[in-house]
Amino acid sequence: MTRLFNDPAAFADEALEGFTAAHRRWVRPVTGGVVRATTTPAGQVAVVIGGGSGHYPAFSGLVGRGLAHGAAVGNVFASPSARQIHSVATAAHAGGGVLLMYGNYAGDVLHFGQAAERLAADGVDTRTFAVADDISSAGPEESANRRGIAGDLPVFKAAAAAAEQGLPLAEVLRVAERAGARTRSFGIAFSGCTLPGADHPLFTVPEARMAVGLGIHGEPGIGEEALPTADEAARLLVETLLEELPEDVADPAGQRAAVILNGLGSVKYEELFVVYRKVAALLGDAGVEIVDPEVGELVTSFDMAGISLTLTWLDDRLEELWRAPADTPAYRKGALDAAEPDRDRAPVTAAAQDTAVPAAPVVPAASDASRRAAATVLAALDAVSRVVDAHADELGRIDAVAGDGDHGIGMRRGSTAAHRAAHDAHGLGAGAGTVLTRAADAWADKAGGTSGALWGTILRSLGTALGDRDAPDAARVAEGVTEASAAVRRLGGAQVGDKTMVDVLVPFADALAAATAEDLPLAEAWDRAATTAAAAAVGTADLLPRRGRARPHAEKSLGTPDAGAHSLALITRAVHGALLDHH
C-alpha cells in the first residue's frame, strides 16, 4: 500500500513538486505539469503527453530531449484538466504546432480535446492522438475503444523522435498513427493497488490466482486463472500477443519488434528478468527479431503487483525512431550533445511564488437580482459539496465494482473546489452566471477525469443560461439544465442506455422541463425531477455499460448502479433542499 503521504488530496501536487526539485536538469515546473528545462529549436513540433498521477515514470518522467516536450499531470488516476493541458502546451510550444498524446480513456479524450480547441483558438496548430494498445479491453473490430497502457512509451517515443528530426506536424501525427497501429499490449496482475489514504486495494485477487487482462487504474482483470510459474506467465503473454498481428504482418517469423516487459509497481526487477528470459526465448522460437528491449517499470499503477508485455512491430522507419537517442529523468537511450538550458524561461521558485502579489480578481458587473440569485447558487453548491463528501466512500465502492474506484475521490475534489470558487466569486459581488462558471472551471481543474469535464460542462451550461443580469425564473433554470444535458451528450458521446450519468441527466432534464411548463414553482418542479432522477439511477443497475472503463467488465457491473448516475441523483436531491431553504 501507499504509506508515505501527508494529505491524500495533496498527494499528486506534492509528488510533482518533489519530482521537479529532483530533476531540474531535465524539467521545469509550469502550471499543470512540467516542460523541458532545455531549449527547443524554433519551429519544432512540441509533443505534449499527459494523464493522471500514479503511473510514474509516465508521464512526467518521460519529458526531455528525444521524448516529450511537456507533460500535463492530473490528480491520482484522473486526467489533467483542459486548462492544465493548455497551460503546459502553451509553455512547450516552439512555433511548429503541438501534438497532444495520451492514453485512450474517456476523461483524457475529453480534456485533451477541449485543450486542442483552446489552443486552436489561440492560433496554435494542434493535433491529438490517443494510444489504444490493450488488446484485452476490446476486440480487433473495436480497436479504437481499447485502453492505452504500456504501449504509450513506444508510440510517444516514435512521434517525439520524428519531431526531433524536424518533421512538420502532419508527418509527426502520421508517425504516431503508424506506431499506434503496430503496438499491442497484454497484462496480468496478482493484487490490486491501494490509493494514498485508502485502507484497502481497489481490487483483490484470490489466493493462488491471477487477474488476466488488467488496466492501469486499478481496474480488475477481465478474468482469472490459476497462478502461473514465471515461464507459464511468459507463455501466456507472448502467445496472446502473437494471436493478433497488425493487418500488414501475416506471420511473426522474420519480423522485428520493440519489446517492453513492464512492471506495474511491486513486481521486482529480478522477477521481471526471470520472466523476460522466457519471453525472449519464445519470441525467438517464433522467428521474431527483438530490437532494443526494455525491462522495468515504465507505466505503473502505484503498488499493483502485475506485469504487462508490449510488442511494437517495427518497419525500417519505426526502428530508426525506436533506436533514436533520448534523455529524460526516467528513460535514457544513446547519446546526445550537451543540452542548452532554457535560460529565457527559468522556473518560478516557491519563494518567488510566495512573495508575488496576485492581481485582484475581477468579476463582471451584475444586477442586484442576479446577485441575490447567486446566494441561492452558492447554497446549492454548498449542499452539493456536503452530500458528495458524505457519500464519497460509497461512490468509490460502487465505482470499484467494474472501474477504478476513484469516482468518490474525484467528485469530492471537484465539488469542494467548485464551492470554494463560488464562495470567492460571490464575495466579490458576482452574479449567478459568473458564480456558476467560476465553479465550473474549478470543478474541471481539480477533479480532472471524465466527471470533471462533464460537471464543468453542466455548471457552465447553467451559468450561461442564468447570466448576470436578470433574476432567473424556473423556466430559465430548466432551459439551462436541458442545455447541460445536450452538452454532456455532445461532449462525452454517451446516450441513454449506456450506463452513465446520462441515464439520469436526460430524464431529470426532461422532467424538470415538463414540470416548469406546468408553471410549477422551481422548488416543486425540482422536487418532481429529483424523484425521477433517483428512480433512473436505481434503474442503471440493470444495464450493461457500453462506454468508459467499466465496459470491459460489463458483466461485473450488472446489479450495481452506475457511480456517476448515482452521484447525480444524490446531488439533485441535495440541491432541492437548498432551493427549499432559499425559497
Side-chain angles (χ1 to χ4, degrees):
M1 62 187 299
T2 307
R3 297 176 177 86
L4 296 175
F5 54 87
N6 297 307
D7 178 358
F11 183 88
D13 290 340
E14 292 181 349
L16 186 63
E17 182 182 348
F19 165 77
T20 56
H23 296 294
R24 295 197 185 281
R25 169 185 155 193
W26 292 275
V27 300
R28 63 183 181 88
V30 296
T31 300
V34 296
V35 295
R36 292 184 187 180
T38 54
T39 57
T40 298
Q44 185 175 107
V45 172
V47 173
V48 175
I49 63 176
S53 298
H55 304 303
Y56 191 84
F59 297 87
S60 54
L62 303 179
V63 173
R65 291 188 302 155
L67 243 162
H69 295 74
V73 182
N75 275 303
V76 173
F77 289 177
S79 66
S81 70
R83 189 151 58 173
Q84 288 176 297
I85 299 161
H86 176 269
S87 169
V88 173
T90 299
H93 184 228
V98 174
L99 176 60
L100 301 176
M101 302 186 72
Y102 44 91
N104 190 32
Y105 297 90
D108 294 285
V109 172
L110 295 178
H111 286 290
F112 277 90
Q114 290 176 329
E117 293 174 357
R118 296 183 189 183
L119 289 164
D122 294 343
V124 178
D125 195 6
T126 307
R127 301 290 187 275
T128 64
F129 185 79
V131 180
D133 57 304
D134 177 20
I135 67 171
S136 70
S137 54
E141 70 285 353
E142 295 183 289
S143 59
N145 293 327
R146 288 174 167 173
R147 303 176 289 205
I149 52 175
D152 283 355
L153 174 61
V155 181
F156 292 169
K157 188 175 186 306
E164 291 281 0
Q165 293 177 348
L167 271 64
L169 180 58
E171 289 295 326
V172 174
L173 175 59
R174 273 193 281 272
V175 166
E177 292 170 340
R178 175 70 169 167
R182 284 177 152 248
T183 299
R184 307 282 189 276
S185 298
F186 183 71
I188 57 177
F190 317 108
S191 69
C193 61
T194 304
L195 301 184
D199 57 6
H200 59 275
L202 292 177
F203 73 91
T204 58
V205 181
E207 190 72 23
R209 304 283 289 176
M210 71 172 174
V212 177
L214 62 124
I216 58 168
H217 295 93
E219 309 99 317
I222 60 173
E224 287 182 3
E225 295 185 9
L227 188 67
T229 64
D231 285 359
E232 289 168 345
R235 187 174 298 279
L236 173 64
L237 295 171
V238 171
E239 290 182 350
T240 302
L241 290 180
L242 291 184
E243 287 175 359
E244 187 189 318
L245 302 173
E247 290 183 0
D248 56 351
V249 176
D251 190 320
Q255 299 292 330
R256 293 162 288 170
V259 178
I260 297 173
L261 183 62
N262 177 60
L264 280 148
S266 63
V267 175
K268 297 300 183 182
Y269 272 71
E270 285 87 348
E271 295 175 272
L272 292 173
F273 293 139
V274 171
V275 175
Y276 183 74
R277 54 175 273 287
K278 188 63 174 180
V279 167
L282 291 169
L283 289 173
D285 291 344
V288 178
E289 179 186 346
I290 297 173
V291 178
D292 281 5
E294 296 287 348
V295 179
E297 293 184 349
L298 297 160
V299 180
T300 63
S301 184
F302 275 111
D303 60 332
M304 183 187 288
I307 60 175
S308 65
L309 181 65
T310 297
L311 301 180
T312 298
W313 298 94
L314 303 173
D315 54 22
D316 290 344
R317 180 70 173 125
L318 290 177
E319 180 175 349
E320 174 193 2
L321 298 171
W322 176 241
R323 290 185 181 274
D327 183 26
T328 77
Y331 184 88
R332 298 166 205 168
K333 177 180 284 189
L336 289 161
D337 295 336
E340 185 67 28
D342 191 348
R343 302 185 189 282
D344 294 333
R345 297 188 289 186
V348 178
T349 65
Q353 289 177 328
D354 290 341
T355 57
V357 178
V362 177
V363 298
S367 68
D368 290 341
S370 184
R371 290 195 189 99
R372 288 192 294 272
T376 303
V377 169
L378 179 60
L381 288 169
D382 178 46
V384 169
S385 178
R386 285 187 283 109
V387 76
V388 167
D389 186 62
H391 291 271
D393 291 343
E394 174 195 6
L395 294 173
R397 286 194 297 271
I398 293 172
D399 190 36
V401 170
D404 57 12
D406 71 342
H407 184 69
I409 296 172
M411 290 292 289
R412 177 184 278 154
R413 281 194 298 250
S415 60
T416 300
H419 177 244
R420 186 180 300 116
H423 178 273
D424 292 345
H426 181 254
L428 294 169
T434 294
V435 167
L436 278 165
T437 54
R438 295 285 175 90
D441 288 342
W443 193 313
D445 275 355
K446 291 300 182 182
T450 305
S451 67
L454 298 182
W455 273 101
T457 297
I458 290 170
L459 297 184
R460 181 167 288 278
S461 297
L462 280 168
T464 300
L466 268 56
D468 290 329
R469 294 184 58 82
D470 302 318
D473 57 16
R476 183 172 295 184
V477 172
E479 289 172 5
V481 172
T482 297
E483 175 51 37
S485 172
V488 164
R489 281 175 283 164
R490 285 195 302 270
L491 181 63
Q495 300 298 325
V496 171
D498 286 345
K499 194 165 187 172
T500 69
M501 71 182 302
V502 166
D503 290 292
V504 169
L505 183 56
V506 169
F508 173 75
D510 291 346
L512 185 62
T516 56
E518 297 175 18
D519 292 327
L520 293 180
L522 178 58
E524 187 175 343
W526 195 282
D527 180 30
R528 182 187 296 182
T531 300
T532 299
V538 171
T540 61
D542 299 326
L543 299 176
L544 291 173
R546 298 198 293 245
R547 303 184 68 85
R549 292 179 190 170
R551 187 180 58 81
H553 314 286
E555 296 295 337
K556 291 184 178 181
S557 78
L558 197 61
T560 302
D562 176 70
H566 184 53
S567 62
L568 175 55
L570 291 171
I571 285 170
T572 61
R573 180 51 64 192
V575 170
H576 175 248
L579 293 175
L580 287 176
D581 292 341
H582 286 73
H583 184 61

